[in-house]
Amino acid sequence: MSVFQELYQEVILDHNKNPRNKRVMENCTCQADGYNPLCGDKIKVFLNIDNGLITDVSFEGVGCAISTASASMMTDCIKGKSIGEARSLFETFHAIVTTSSDCEVDASSLGKLEALAGVREFPMRVKCATLAWHTMNNALASRNETASTE
Ligand code: ZN
């Protein structure tokens, strides 16, 4: 195994075994459901947004190791980020798992997420890895900041 494959496996196994931020969030600002019929992954993403910042994020669901690890890493990664930063991370992440070469994408902002770039070798797994991100993106798009009465 290459160093890259080892890292890929280690990070995914770790996040699958001990998912970060896996809980239902009461009183979230927005949420969305995601479903990947190809694999059967189901996920719900909860976001708490205050003044354009993602102050809290969590997820719930059942899925394969890749989808769970990806959701776990996403929550770690976007917590405390602005909505704009989260969107741009989504785009970078999406690009890195769907293009064939590292040189086409500047992955420096991704940190550990780069370990998931390995899924590009397995086209069936790309949807597993991006499910949480698409769901987070939908949650952001559906937010209704004026709905709060507080
Ligand atoms: Zn899956």
Side-chain angles (χ1 to χ4, degrees):
M1 271 204 308
S2 70
V3 173
F4 179 78
Q5 283 171 314
E6 279 179 36
L7 174 73
Y8 170 69
Q9 293 219 334
E10 196 186 297
V11 170
I12 286 175
L13 289 177
D14 172 43
H15 277 266
N16 183 48
K17 233 193 222 167
N18 308 297
R20 325 298 198 254
N21 308 300
K22 188 163 189 254
R23 61 191 150 83
V24 174
M25 195 193 298
E26 310 286 341
N27 307 318
C28 59
T29 317
C30 48
Q31 64 183 68
D33 291 296
Y35 178 48
N36 171 21
L38 280 177
C39 176
D41 310 315
K42 278 186 186 157
I43 191 174
K44 200 182 251 292
V45 172
F46 306 89
L47 294 170
N48 202 36
I49 295 168
D50 185 27
N51 247 331
L53 277 186
I54 299 169
T55 56
D56 200 9
V57 49
S58 68
F59 77 100
E60 253 278 301
V62 280
C64 64
I66 306 255
S67 70
T68 302
S70 180
S72 168
M73 291 169 81
M74 179 200 74
T75 59
D76 252 3
C77 186
I78 66 166
K79 203 174 198 168
K81 296 270 195 304
S82 71
I83 291 170
E85 285 169 330
R87 285 222 170 94
S88 104
L89 273 171
F90 164 75
E91 270 156 35
T92 308
F93 179 73
H94 196 260
I96 203 167
V97 294
T98 52
T99 51
S100 51
S101 140
D102 277 331
C103 356
E104 294 168 45
V105 185
D106 175 15
S108 55
S109 62
L110 289 178
K112 269 196 167 185
L113 283 176
E114 212 184 336
L116 282 170
V119 299
R120 71 162 78 103
E121 314 285 332
F122 314 98
M124 287 287 291
R125 290 288 172 208
V126 170
K127 287 193 192 299
C128 301
T130 54
L131 178 66
W133 290 85
H134 281 293
T135 309
M136 178 274 287
N137 214 30
N138 283 353
L140 283 179
S142 72
R143 79 182 191 281
N144 185 355
E145 290 184 330
T146 57
S148 170
T149 53
E150 292 171 5

